[in-house]
Amino acid sequence: MNKLSIRDLELKGQRVFVRVDFNVPTSGGKVGDDTRVRETLPTLRLAAERGARLVLASHLGRPKGKVDPKYSLAPVAARLQELLGGKTVAFAADCIGPEAEAKSKALRDGEVLLLENVRYHPEEEANDAEFSRKLAALCDGLFVCDAFGSAHRAHASVVGITKFVRQAAAGLLMEKELAYLGKAISHPDRPFVSVLGGAKVSDKIEVVQNLMKLADAMLIGGAMAYTFLKSQGLPIGTSLVENDKLDLARDLLAEAERRKFRLLLPVDHVLAGSIDSTVTRTTDIAQTPEGWMGLDIGPKTIEQFSREISAARTIVWNGPLGMFEKPAFAQGTLAIARAVAAASGKGATSIVGGGDSVAAVEQSGLACQISHISTGGGASLEFLAGEKLPGVEALTNRS
Ligand code: AMP
């Protein structure tokens, strides 16, 4: 892969358009979890130290092509200013047009301008050429993409803009994400154990298929496990299931068997009468009582999964193993977080992606023990599914 790095660019005195992923939760003019903003700081600091004039662009939420104050990046500008140690971060209330042009031209070396949400314009998601050209006009022919979390989107500020600049390069966060995930799928230290959870099989079919070829084992928990279990004729009570995916789940399990691939499903679980009930019971899957819903993996499964994780040299984890937002059903996910952290402590490379599993790792206080926490949920899933990310392709092999 032939890609420029921000380190290769002559930045001094140049306006550089940096696509970041500042898609963070905001409310009442304040930023909630600012992880994504903090993760871009190395790129922004490097560029500022080298005398770049930084024009930053991002999306936030889904304003559906219209101005919607709920999705304004203004609170992020304030937060970024704090994170940059008080360095002024200018803000333009539209990502194109006279204000953005004037403010980008007024930048001096090392200064930062954040543009308003690119998704206020429908042309962003349409990857419109004219809109891309207008964005590119805000810089001096230099584009840096540090938005790994948006790299699976062929949008104007991620892909279209690259046609209108002289040089397009990856930022440091983008490089770090690609290095960790790339090594895992190309030459992982083995055993390579993948852990998948979350709500739906349908979101992760391609990931299951691809990782079955690459990993040494796969541990499946969360609601998605029930479609696999039901496809084997096991009782699942009222647990979440995708009945239209039963054939597919059966085929995937048959494929795993044919390949002699270690695909482990839960053997026991924690159940409740409904998601709002805290009256729980724990049974083997085969003993699932009628009218009860599986909401977390049980102690035998935790033990079995933890043993696999403990022997791993590479671990990729995406998706919680139960409804971890409720303390009564968080134990499985937290135990897996501890197992992954412990394996990392013994030298394994651990990669956690997907908003919910990242939140669980942070909640457990173990985030600092994980080798790499991916900022891109959807992008990391597509990468693990073996798909090419348009935002990365746009930086690769440019003539
Ligand atoms: P995803 O976005 O696919 O990673 O799914 C995450 C969601 O799946 C979280 O909100 C979890 O609460 C939910 N989830 C995980 N396990 C279960 C389960 N056994 N039953 C219901 N929801 C679950």
Side-chain angles (χ1 to χ4, degrees), residues 197-201 203-204 221-226 238-241 269-270 275 293-297 318-326 329 333 353-357 381:
K200 293 189 187 155
V201 180
D203 290 345
K204 298 192 175 117
M224 70 181 275
Y226 291 103
T238 54
S239 310
L240 277 189
V241 64
H269 54 173
V270 180
I275 54 170
M293 183 178 217
L295 290 161
D296 195 8
I297 53 173
N318 191 302
L321 294 135
M323 188 173 256
F324 80 104
E325 298 93 332
K326 308 218 173 204
F329 313 114
T333 302
D356 287 313
S357 14
L381 276 182

Side-chain angles (χ1 to χ4, degrees), residues 104-249:
S104 75
K105 285 191 185 131
L107 287 170
R108 283 172 305 179
D109 293 3
E111 288 186 347
V112 182
L113 165 67
L114 175 62
L115 305 172
E116 182 55 287
N117 197 339
V118 285
R119 286 198 190 163
Y120 279 181
H121 295 265
E123 295 89 342
E124 163 66 5
E125 291 181 65
N127 199 19
D128 180 80
E130 183 54 19
F131 180 72
S132 304
R133 194 189 57 72
K134 286 181 186 159
L135 292 174
L138 299 173
C139 71
D140 298 314
L142 298 178
F143 172 70
V144 169
C145 190
D146 215 22
F148 177 75
S150 308
H152 57 317
R153 306 286 186 214
H155 292 173
S157 65
V158 180
V159 171
I161 187 171
T162 60
K163 299 218 170 63
F164 299 95
V165 292
R166 212 167 5 96
Q167 289 184 299
L172 302 180
L173 173 61
M174 176 70 102
E175 288 184 327
K176 186 168 130 206
E177 294 270 13
L178 294 175
Y180 271 103
L181 289 163
K183 178 165 188 320
I185 66 165
S186 59
H187 48 284
D189 295 330
R190 295 187 182 276
F192 170 12
V193 173
S194 51
V195 186
L196 296 178
K200 293 189 187 155
V201 180
S202 47
D203 290 345
K204 298 192 175 117
I205 295 165
E206 289 83 5
V207 179
V208 172
Q209 282 168 332
N210 198 41
L211 288 183
M212 221 189 266
K213 293 182 219 144
L214 304 173
D216 299 296
M218 184 178 295
L219 318 176
I220 297 183
M224 70 181 275
Y226 291 103
T227 304
F228 288 100
L229 293 166
K230 185 172 176 183
S231 81
Q232 299 304 289
L234 287 158
I236 60 161
T238 54
S239 310
L240 277 189
V241 64
E242 287 170 275
N243 282 314
D244 59 335
K245 295 287 178 288
L246 289 173
D247 287 344
L248 179 86

Side-chain angles (χ1 to χ4, degrees), residues 297-376:
I297 53 173
K300 292 180 194 164
T301 308
I302 290 177
E303 202 194 310
Q304 202 181 48
F305 283 14
S306 300
R307 213 179 312 125
E308 296 284 333
I309 291 167
S310 155
R313 303 282 304 150
T314 301
I315 304 148
V316 169
W317 176 18
N318 191 302
L321 294 135
M323 188 173 256
F324 80 104
E325 298 93 332
K326 308 218 173 204
F329 313 114
Q331 291 318 309
T333 302
L334 294 178
I336 294 308
R338 284 194 293 275
V340 174
S344 310
K346 291 191 298 176
T349 300
S350 53
I351 303 169
V352 180
D356 287 313
S357 14
V358 172
V361 166
E362 308 229 320
Q363 192 181 315
S364 67
L366 298 166
C368 58
Q369 295 179 43
I370 305 297
S371 319
H372 180 62
I373 295 197
S374 179
T375 51

